[in-house]
């Protein structure tokens, strides 16, 4: 038997990472947890309130509305961006000079910072000077995102589609490129239709990258802040006040640190839970009938 | 069911061109008889797969026509040609069960459930897949996946031909042998035209009635396994078929005599004189050379440099002047370093001019 050498010095190697993670994640998170269970009347004196803030938040209509807006926004975003991204990836050329042209064009929106995207669309959609807003208004459409909630929603959704569909396209394209030619050749031999090729070859082979695409787009859209903040600031009224905007209003605008902390923890748990659900469901697609039959 | 004719076929992946080097497949004419079992043999990159893809319609040849009986199908898409093709690596539809995979080619062609089911079950039994019929195909081993691929190729009973593109590469040797005999059996039973691509000569020679040997985009010989062994029409065939391959040496030819490395041999036939620029070579199989003790009359003095004993026989490497020859000997008492005499069996000595076999006239 060889005696395994135990070297306690290894702990020192982990220490820098541990410190880094502690200062960047664990301590700030615990501060939020701390606030969520306490209240103060100033002078840095805190007292324990238990689950009160959570109870308040869960029962508040304001939270329900923001949550509903957020879920609707993410659902619409996913419903548009995933199919559109797949469709564009399928239509992209497989070889030749068109490949780099398409890939670079697709990557461009992803390189633009969020607040710049917001500013671009804020100006683009303005009725007085924006190309889009002015054109629509002069064509007789009643479009004004500062006054009409529907127009505001449409503007933000189109902006997000413009900004992020590329990500789905690039991921899907990578998935498609990894399918060996033999699969398409075999499908031709087997007389498969285009739809069958998509359903039985391309979609199953893209499953993994699509899982990543759905998770990334869900998390990002669920946490969206900068763009709607720049374009509408949450308005008109509260119509585009998504959860993150509401959270910032509560924490920094009203300085209600306790409820804001409770809300951010709930927010975090919801994202975690929904991401887990997406992951589990999507990794099991195509598996469910494997145990049946025989 | 049809005779498949390739007429003046040539293919270049870079488009039509006048430079013959651009062609992956040089101009060729070939007819595959209905019901024949053929093997396409050649090293990797010689154009075997290109030729196969032209027959199945996955590639449209740059030049020439493909005909099924008298119908020109050059431009006809794959799915209308009624051809089955099996690829080197298993292609399965991951989300389908084994049954659905096998039924897929029939389903796409609008067959009814009553037609499909018995056929799938029969074939699954033949391929020993019947125990897993309702398992997802992606959960099976590589062997089983390739059997599914084979099954999808064999499921249609009225195909014009079944093309196999090195289908047994991923299958382990024991099963390889079994599947190959199964394919031969299916061939006898149903009489499909089968074209089997391989770079493994044993596979080609055991499977096919007729072997087509390809080299650098051209067909160098079409013949039975015996033809390929006894009368290779190209030095490449001599070298590629047989283990070890044919001994090929440069020589000087004069009528019915050649001089190889200073040894003068009288041949059975007389050959016409060749131009001085032509390269003349002599080819003889190791099986047709013989060694005797040193200084035997009629033999040429050689030195034994190496002896490989591979069980049933020994492969003896000898040096005549500066040229190495392989000799297959069943019995040998000499050792490496010994002197010996080398004898040529002139009835199996072939003369090649610029790598192509030439025939001589009887003396």
């Amino acid at each position: 038997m060889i005696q395994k050498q135990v070297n306690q010095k290894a702990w020192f190697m982990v220490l820098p990472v541990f410190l880094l993670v502690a200062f960047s994640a664990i301590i700030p998170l615990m501060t939020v947890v701390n606030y969520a269970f306490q209240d103060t009347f100033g002078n840095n004196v805190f007292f324990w309130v238990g689950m009160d803030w959570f109870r308040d938040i869960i029962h508040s209509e304001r939270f329900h509305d923001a949550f509903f807006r957020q879920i609707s926004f993410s659902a619409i975003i996913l419903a548009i961006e995933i199919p559109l991204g797949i469709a564009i990836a399928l239509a992209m050329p497989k070889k030749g000079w068109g490949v780099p042209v398409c890939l670079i064009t697709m990557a461009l929106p992803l390189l633009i910072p969020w607040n710049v995207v917001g500013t671009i669309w804020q100006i683009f959609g303005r009725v007085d000077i924006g190309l889009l807003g002015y054109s629509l208004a002069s064509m007789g459409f009643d479009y004004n995102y500062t006054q009409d909630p529907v127009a505001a929603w449409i503007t933000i959704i189109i902006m997000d589609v413009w900004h992020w569909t590329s990500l789905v396209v690039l991921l899907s394209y990578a998935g498609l490129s990894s399918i060996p030619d033999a699969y398409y050749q075999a499908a031709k031999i087997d007389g498969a239709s285009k739809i069958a090729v998509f359903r039985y070859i391309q979609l199953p082979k893209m499953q993994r990258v699509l899982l990543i695409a759905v998770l990334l787009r869900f998390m990002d859209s669920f946490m969206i802040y900068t763009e709607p903040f720049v374009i509408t600031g949450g308005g008109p009224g509260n119509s585009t006040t998504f959860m993150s905007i509401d959270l910032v209003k509560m924490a920094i605008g009203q300085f209600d640190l306790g409820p804001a902390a409770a809300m951010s923890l709930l927010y975090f748990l919801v994202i975690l839970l929904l991401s887990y659900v997406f992951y589990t469901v999507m990794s099991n697609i195509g598996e469910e009938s494997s145990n049946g039959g025989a | 069911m049809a005779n498949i004719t390739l007429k003046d076929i040539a293919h270049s992946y870079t488009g039509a061109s006048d430079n013959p080097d651009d062609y992956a497949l040089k101009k060729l004419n070939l007819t595959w008889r209905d019901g024949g079992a053929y093997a396409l043999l050649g090293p990797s990159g010689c154009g075997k797969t290109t030729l196969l893809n032209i027959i199945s319609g996955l590639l449209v040849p740059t030049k020439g026509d493909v005909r099924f009986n008298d119908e020109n199908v050059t431009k006809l898409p794959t799915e209308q040609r009624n051809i089955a093709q099996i690829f080197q690596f298993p292609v399965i539809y991951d989300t389908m069960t084994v049954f659905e995979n096998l039924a897929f080619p029939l389903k796409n062609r609008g067959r009814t459930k009553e037609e499909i089911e018995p056929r799938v079950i029969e074939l699954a039994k033949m391929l020993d897949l019947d125990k897993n019929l309702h398992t997802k195909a992606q959960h099976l081993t590589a062997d089983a996946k390739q059997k599914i691929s084979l099954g999808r190729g064999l499921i249609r009973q009225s195909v014009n031909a079944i093309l196999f593109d090195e289908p047994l590469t991923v299958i382990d040797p024991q099963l390889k042998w079994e599947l190959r005999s199964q394919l031969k059996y299916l061939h006898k039973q149903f009489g499909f035209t089968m074209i089997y691509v391989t770079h493994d000569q044993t596979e080609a020679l055991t499977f096919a009635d007729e072997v087509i040997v390809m080299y650098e985009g051209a067909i160098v010989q079409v013949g039975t396994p015996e033809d390929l062994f006894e009368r290779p029409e190209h030095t490449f065939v001599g070298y590629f078929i047989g283990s070890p391959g044919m001994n090929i040496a440069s020589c000087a030819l004069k009528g019915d005599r050649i001089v190889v490395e200073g040894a003068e041999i009288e041949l059975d036939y007389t050959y016409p004189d060749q131009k001085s620029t032509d390269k003349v070579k002599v080819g003889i199989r190791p099986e047709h050379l013989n060694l005797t003790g040193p200084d035997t009359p009629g033999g040429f003095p050689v030195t034994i440099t190496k002896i490989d004993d591979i069980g049933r026989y020994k492969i003896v490497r000898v040096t005549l002047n500066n040229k190495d020859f392989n000799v297959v000997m069943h019995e040998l008492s000499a050792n490496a370093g010994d002197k010996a005499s080398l004898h040529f069996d002139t009835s199996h000595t072939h003369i090649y001019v610029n790598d192509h076999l030439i025939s001589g006239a009887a003396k």
Side-chain angles (χ1 to χ4, degrees):
Chain A
M1 279 266 287
I2 301 163
Q3 198 80 49
K4 235 189 205 170
Q5 184 110 43
V6 180
N7 191 347
Q8 301 292 358
K9 275 183 218 148
W11 291 108
F12 288 103
M13 304 296 201
V14 188
L15 199 63
V17 178
F18 179 76
L19 285 175
L20 204 70
V21 174
F23 276 97
S24 67
I26 299 173
I27 296 174
L29 182 70
M30 291 322 289
T31 317
V32 173
V33 173
N34 205 25
Y35 280 133
F37 294 98
Q38 300 188 57
D39 197 4
T40 179
F41 292 117
N43 291 334
N44 231 3
V45 181
F46 287 87
F47 54 92
W48 180 259
V49 293
M51 300 299 285
D52 282 1
W53 294 134
F54 289 93
R55 228 170 273 131
D56 284 0
I57 288 291
I58 285 173
H59 291 116
S60 82
E61 203 167 320
R62 179 176 165 180
F63 179 75
H64 294 170
D65 291 348
F67 183 76
F68 179 71
R69 279 193 287 272
Q70 190 68 70
I71 281 281
S72 315
F73 179 72
S74 286
I76 293 169
I77 288 302
L78 287 179
I80 296 173
E81 287 179 11
I82 299 294
L84 184 64
I86 295 173
I88 294 174
L90 286 172
M92 266 167 65
K94 302 282 175 291
K95 55 184 173 198
W97 58 268
V99 176
V101 171
C102 286
L103 288 179
I104 292 169
T105 315
M106 282 296 144
L108 278 180
L110 301 175
L111 300 175
I112 304 173
W114 289 260
N115 54 346
V116 177
V117 172
T119 313
I120 290 172
W121 282 80
Q122 205 262 353
I123 295 169
F124 190 45
R126 275 172 67 166
V127 186
D128 49 351
I129 56 167
L131 186 63
L132 176 76
Y134 187 80
S135 314
L136 284 176
S138 47
M139 277 190 278
F141 289 101
D142 185 17
Y143 170 83
N144 188 340
Y145 66 78
T146 55
Q147 282 160 21
D148 178 13
V150 177
W153 268 75
I154 290 174
T155 310
I156 292 174
I157 285 168
I158 291 177
M159 177 213 66
D160 199 86
V161 169
W162 176 84
H163 193 185
W164 287 112
T165 305
S166 302
L167 181 75
V168 184
V169 174
L170 293 179
L171 284 168
S172 306
Y173 190 75
L176 286 173
S177 319
S178 71
I179 302 175
D181 268 350
Y183 278 82
Y184 295 112
Q185 296 179 334
K188 273 192 199 164
I189 300 281
D190 290 339
S193 62
K194 280 218 153 103
I195 295 169
V197 169
F198 177 70
R199 165 75 184 78
Y200 296 114
I201 297 175
Q202 291 169 327
L203 205 54
K205 294 277 170 206
M206 279 198 291
Q207 192 189 338
R208 277 168 197 287
V209 288
L210 282 182
L211 170 66
I212 295 169
V214 167
L215 278 179
L216 285 177
R217 283 317 301 133
F218 166 72
M219 288 190 290
D220 270 358
S221 66
F222 208 79
M223 296 189 293
I224 192 166
Y225 174 75
T226 316
E227 298 98 318
F229 179 75
V230 173
I231 297 180
T232 63
N238 271 332
S239 61
T240 56
T241 303
F242 299 121
M243 271 167 81
S244 56
I245 295 180
D246 202 26
L247 184 62
V248 172
K249 272 185 189 168
M250 194 184 284
I252 296 168
Q254 302 158 224
F255 218 67
D256 283 337
L257 288 186
M263 180 174 166
S264 60
L265 286 180
L266 286 172
Y267 196 179
F268 171 61
L269 289 177
V270 167
I271 293 180
L272 209 61
L273 179 74
L274 287 176
S275 298
Y276 176 76
V277 169
F278 275 124
Y279 181 80
T280 316
V281 170
M282 287 193 66
S283 347
N284 287 331
I285 284 179
E287 295 283 327
E288 73 255 351
S289 48
S290 63
N291 304 324
Chain B
M1 303 275 171
N3 290 317
I4 298 170
T5 310
L6 304 178
K7 199 169 174 324
D8 299 330
I9 290 285
H11 188 73
S12 155
Y13 284 99
T14 48
S17 151
D18 292 330
N19 181 3
D21 290 343
D22 287 344
Y23 284 84
L25 206 60
K26 305 200 171 74
K27 192 172 139 182
L28 57 89
N29 284 289
L30 201 62
T31 300
W32 318 80
R33 272 176 299 100
D34 184 22
Y38 295 92
L40 256 179
L41 183 64
S44 305
C46 70
K48 292 169 297 186
T49 302
T50 308
L51 186 61
L52 218 56
N53 288 348
I54 286 173
I55 297 172
S56 64
L58 295 171
L59 272 179
V60 176
T62 316
K63 290 177 184 164
D65 292 337
V66 183
R67 286 182 194 161
F68 289 0
N69 286 335
D70 290 322
E71 188 196 354
N72 187 340
V73 297
T74 317
K75 297 272 154 60
L76 207 64
T78 306
E79 54 273 24
Q80 287 171 35
R81 288 197 190 189
N82 209 8
I83 289 268
Q85 186 170 357
I86 292 122
F87 300 90
Q88 185 170 6
F89 295 101
V91 174
I92 52 146
Y93 302 104
D94 290 336
T95 52
M96 296 186 195
T97 63
V98 174
F99 183 97
E100 289 165 331
N101 257 284
L102 292 175
F104 194 58
L106 295 178
K107 227 174 113 188
N108 287 327
R109 288 173 174 80
R111 304 290 165 76
T112 61
K113 210 179 155 198
E114 291 71 37
E115 279 177 280
I116 294 173
E117 225 176 77
R119 177 75 190 132
V120 170
I121 289 168
E122 185 195 347
L123 191 68
K125 275 208 186 99
M126 219 173 321
L127 292 170
D128 200 21
L129 284 168
D130 49 334
K131 284 169 214 75
N132 300 324
L133 261 185
H134 296 283
T135 338
K136 285 263 161 161
Q138 61 177 337
H139 299 299
L140 299 177
T141 60
D143 279 358
K145 282 181 183 173
Q146 189 63 333
K147 281 205 232 166
I148 297 173
S149 291
L150 279 170
R152 280 208 323 277
L154 298 166
I155 192 100
R156 286 182 283 147
Q157 275 163 313
S158 59
V159 287
N160 284 319
I162 306 181
L163 316 179
F164 300 90
D165 192 352
E166 310 196 23
L168 303 181
T169 313
V170 293
I171 291 187
D172 61 45
Q174 174 60 29
L175 199 61
K176 217 180 211 172
W177 211 85
E178 254 170 56
L179 281 175
R180 206 160 53 219
S181 6
Q182 231 159 26
L183 288 179
K184 267 212 107 149
Y185 167 76
L186 287 170
H187 177 251
K188 285 215 180 74
Q189 203 180 8
F190 298 112
F192 298 124
T193 309
M194 287 187 173
I195 303 172
Y196 193 102
V197 162
T198 179
H199 59 247
D200 177 345
Q201 49 164 315
T202 329
E203 221 169 83
L205 300 180
T206 52
F207 177 81
D209 309 330
E210 205 165 308
V211 180
I212 292 122
V213 185
M214 290 186 72
Y215 178 60
E216 289 182 345
I219 291 174
V220 288
Q221 186 166 6
V222 180
T224 62
E226 201 190 337
D227 291 340
L228 298 182
F229 193 80
E230 295 289 337
R231 264 185 79 81
E233 282 172 14
H234 190 277
T235 51
F236 172 76
V237 180
Y239 160 80
F240 196 68
I241 308 270
S243 174
M246 194 179 231
N247 295 299
I248 291 159
S250 296
C251 66
L253 173 71
K254 185 82 189 147
D256 64 348
R257 276 160 202 281
I258 51 167
V259 180
V260 192
E261 299 292 334
E264 188 173 317
I265 303 164
E266 190 185 339
L267 303 169
D268 292 7
Y269 299 96
T270 312
Y271 295 87
D273 287 340
Q274 303 299 324
K275 278 180 277 173
S276 59
T277 47
D278 289 335
K279 281 187 220 127
V280 182
K281 286 177 183 168
V282 60
I284 184 159
R285 293 226 171 257
E287 290 81 357
H288 300 133
L289 285 171
N290 195 16
L291 287 175
T292 54
D295 304 324
T296 317
F300 304 105
V302 291
T303 312
I304 298 173
T305 51
K306 198 176 155 207
I307 301 173
D308 288 326
D309 192 338
I310 59 166
R312 281 174 299 135
Y313 55 84
K314 296 183 173 77
I315 299 169
V316 186
R317 174 78 57 88
V318 300
T319 311
L320 173 66
N321 232 353
N322 283 317
K323 170 75 186 163
D324 285 343
F325 286 86
N326 287 317
V327 184
V328 165
M329 296 294 289
H330 291 274
E331 307 250 336
L332 184 78
S333 51
N335 295 311
D338 288 358
K339 302 273 180 215
S341 294
L342 181 67
H343 300 266
F344 283 70
D345 176 354
T346 48
S347 63
H348 288 99
T349 305
H350 301 294
I351 302 296
Y352 296 89
V353 173
N354 294 334
D355 290 327
H356 288 277
L357 182 72
I358 57 164
S359 310
K363 287 201 265 191

